[in-house]
Amino acid sequence: GRTFFASWQVRPRRRQSREARPVASATPQVQAGRKMAKVCVISLGSESAPHIAECVRQELGDRSASEEWETSKAPVLVVVVECESDGEPCPAARQFVRALRRSECFANYSQSIGRRAAVLGLASSVCANSAAQLGDGDKYTGASRVERALIAGGCTALLKMGTMEVELQSPEESAIPWARAVCAAL
């Protein structure tokens, strides 16, 4: 079952005086005896990453936090990274890596809270033949760079980097199962 946290709300007493009493809230904060980790989902790219990141957010449900990565206090980051057709990181991913390297506060905070990170790499190939020509590892070089930058920035890997061939796989085939693995690892 679900466990609900108590929020404090002022309720009138019989004699018009007011006192604070706990009231059950419909927002689950604890599941199976442990606190649910909030997850900041980051989309790096402009074509398929926003849609796939939204699918991941939906799968995470209440765990997903709407925050900017620079100011996020979430103990888990999930990063969806678009890779160019040659496997290199998209411009947003390159900018993210540069910003991570410059941010001393991010690294210090991530280390202090034991922040974990998970990366989903999105490769774009026109057809299965062009996808096979690059090879599995090379298609996701950009996502690997983001993952290495997160680890250098004080995070630890939550799970192995996920991969998705955008034109050849639907979100249900790879992104959703990967998001479920993220949920299970929390």
Side-chain angles (χ1 to χ4, degrees):
R2 294 178 132 184
T3 306
F4 298 94
F5 76 99
S7 62
W8 292 91
Q9 182 176 19
V10 176
R11 289 205 173 164
R13 219 174 167 193
R14 281 185 256 164
R15 293 189 208 162
Q16 301 289 63
S17 66
R18 295 182 166 274
E19 74 175 39
R21 294 185 185 182
V23 177
S25 171
T27 307
Q29 293 294 314
V30 179
Q31 188 175 37
R34 65 182 194 177
K35 188 173 176 167
M36 285 183 6
K38 282 295 183 182
V39 179
C40 179
V41 180
I42 303 165
S43 169
L44 300 177
S46 59
E47 293 176 26
S48 54
H51 171 70
I52 300 301
E54 187 55 37
C55 291
V56 170
R57 280 186 198 96
Q58 288 176 1
E59 195 62 35
L60 290 169
D62 291 342
R63 292 178 173 148
S64 182
S66 300
E67 302 173 327
E68 293 295 321
W69 73 267
E70 298 98 338
T71 57
S72 175
K73 302 293 183 206
V76 179
L77 297 179
V78 170
V79 187
V80 179
V81 183
E82 279 183 24
C83 298
E84 302 287 341
S85 59
D86 62 355
E88 291 298 308
C90 68
R94 287 192 297 268
Q95 185 178 11
F96 178 77
V97 168
R98 280 192 301 271
L100 265 178
R101 289 181 180 151
R102 284 190 225 125
S103 179
E104 196 172 301
C105 292
F106 178 84
N108 291 337
Y109 185 74
S110 293
Q111 286 177 342
S112 72
I113 67 167
R115 180 174 278 156
R116 298 176 296 163
V119 176
L120 176 62
L122 306 178
S124 297
S125 298
V126 180
C127 65
N129 287 336
S130 61
Q133 286 177 343
L134 256 183
D136 281 339
D138 294 341
K139 289 188 282 191
Y140 305 103
T141 301
S144 295
R145 286 185 189 165
V146 169
E147 184 176 51
R148 284 192 307 271
L150 285 164
I151 291 169
C155 297
T156 57
L158 179 66
L159 65 148
K160 183 181 172 188
M161 183 180 78
T163 59
M164 178 179 173
E165 187 68 46
V166 178
E167 282 85 10
L168 303 176
Q169 296 173 305
S170 71
E172 291 78 19
E173 290 178 89
S174 56
I176 300 302
W178 181 82
R180 288 183 182 139
V182 168
C183 289
L186 295 176

